[in-house]
Amino acid sequence: MLRITVAFGMTFMALACSNEAAAQVYKCKGASGEAVYSQRPCGAQAEEMKVRSSKAASSTAGEAATRAAVYRSTDLSDAAIAERNCLASSSSSIYQPVNSRIAGYQRQIGELNAAAARAKNNLAGATYEAGIRTQLAGLQQTIATERQAADASMNLARQRCANDRRERQSAIEKKYQVENP
């Protein structure tokens, strides 16, 4: 006799539900009072269990529409996630190198400012300091140019990512219009 304890009872019942050729299921009490399930009566107090499938043989139009709406919503969410991933990847590949270069320029600016502070208060010192100020202005202009170029690249990436999302959304809408006229 096949006996299954409560822990495995639900699994057995699910298998019995999915297999139409399965034998009748009986519920009995075990020696210590636990529920035991069996394919054959396991005692005088065995209860015959009515086992039925939890899934309908066919789905209704409402169920099919709900399922399609869930799939469509999931696909649209995936398109939004793909856009966010596209933006994150683009941002990282554009701004990481730029920020690294700018950090180097800012270190140079710090060193030049320290050198300008040490310049002597005489004609030679003033000429030296003017040269340093010219270098500082050049570095600051380079930083501004780097940032502008990075921002322009990121704007193009935003447009590309948004276009990709629109194309995916359009394909998704077409897919679900065909499936659900």
Side-chain angles (χ1 to χ4, degrees):
M1 177 183 325
L2 175 64
R3 289 187 176 214
I4 302 172
T5 63
V6 173
F8 297 105
M10 298 310 285
T11 304
F12 178 75
M13 288 180 65
L15 290 172
C17 290
S18 65
N19 187 358
E20 292 182 10
Q24 181 61 45
V25 177
Y26 295 90
K27 179 179 177 183
C28 307
K29 285 197 177 191
S32 58
E34 78 278 7
V36 176
Y37 297 89
S38 174
Q39 289 180 326
R40 295 185 187 95
C42 42
Q45 296 135 351
E47 294 178 41
E48 189 173 326
M49 302 295 296
K50 297 222 186 254
V51 180
R52 61 186 170 126
S53 175
S54 62
K55 183 177 179 182
S58 63
S59 60
T60 66
E63 291 169 334
T66 299
R67 187 173 35 261
V70 168
Y71 292 157
R72 178 182 167 275
S73 176
T74 300
D75 287 348
L76 290 172
S77 292
D78 289 346
I81 290 168
E83 181 183 25
R84 281 195 303 273
N85 290 342
C86 177
L87 289 170
S89 173
S90 297
S91 178
S92 176
S93 66
I94 292 169
Y95 286 113
Q96 269 186 342
V98 168
N99 289 338
S100 178
R101 287 191 300 272
I102 287 174
Y105 299 143
Q106 288 173 334
R107 279 191 299 277
Q108 290 177 10
I109 288 172
E111 292 168 2
L112 289 171
N113 280 328
R118 291 188 304 265
K120 296 192 178 188
N121 193 10
N122 58 25
L123 183 58
T127 303
Y128 177 69
E129 186 179 356
I132 290 175
R133 297 289 171 215
T134 301
Q135 290 178 7
L136 286 170
L139 287 171
Q140 289 169 343
Q141 181 60 43
T142 301
I143 289 172
T145 302
E146 288 269 3
R147 286 189 175 139
Q148 287 173 347
D151 290 342
S153 294
M154 192 61 203
N155 285 335
L156 290 174
R158 281 187 190 95
Q159 290 173 356
R160 181 180 44 82
C161 295
N163 287 339
D164 290 349
R165 179 181 180 171
R166 279 191 288 278
E167 288 174 11
R168 286 184 75 168
Q169 285 177 327
S170 177
I172 290 166
E173 294 300 337
K174 285 179 185 175
K175 175 183 174 182
Y176 289 101
Q177 283 176 350
V178 169
E179 290 180 5
N180 299 312

